[in-house]
Amino acid sequence: MKRAELIRHLERHGCQLLREGGSHTVYVNRAERKVSTIPRHREVNEILALKICKDLGVPKPGV
């Protein structure tokens, strides 16, 4: 899955950019009080994308 698609999915479900790190971007879901990091690669592994969504309390992409 493309990183940009994952970020759009997260933002549609209420997640916000918290900060930029050296090699990761940190997103937060304030409603769920959860935080997760997203690597700065063009492609994000499907399994990792599912883990990020689970960590942030949002539904799986494509659902």
Side-chain angles (χ1 to χ4, degrees):
M1 155 173 263
K2 293 195 184 295
R3 181 177 188 273
E5 292 173 8
L6 177 60
I7 288 174
R8 275 194 300 272
H9 173 75
L10 296 175
E11 289 177 346
R12 268 188 254 131
H13 288 91
C15 298
Q16 299 172 330
L17 173 68
L18 182 62
R19 65 183 168 84
E20 296 281 345
S23 60
H24 289 78
T25 302
V26 180
Y27 266 79
V28 62
N29 184 343
R30 295 186 195 281
E32 298 286 327
R33 301 184 71 160
K34 297 184 178 186
V35 177
S36 187
T37 58
I38 302 170
R40 286 205 192 137
H41 304 289
R42 288 181 189 235
E43 294 287 325
V44 176
N45 182 318
E46 192 76 24
I47 295 169
L48 180 56
L50 293 175
K51 182 192 179 309
I52 291 168
C53 290
K54 182 179 177 182
D55 288 349
L56 289 169
V58 300
K60 298 177 190 176
V63 175

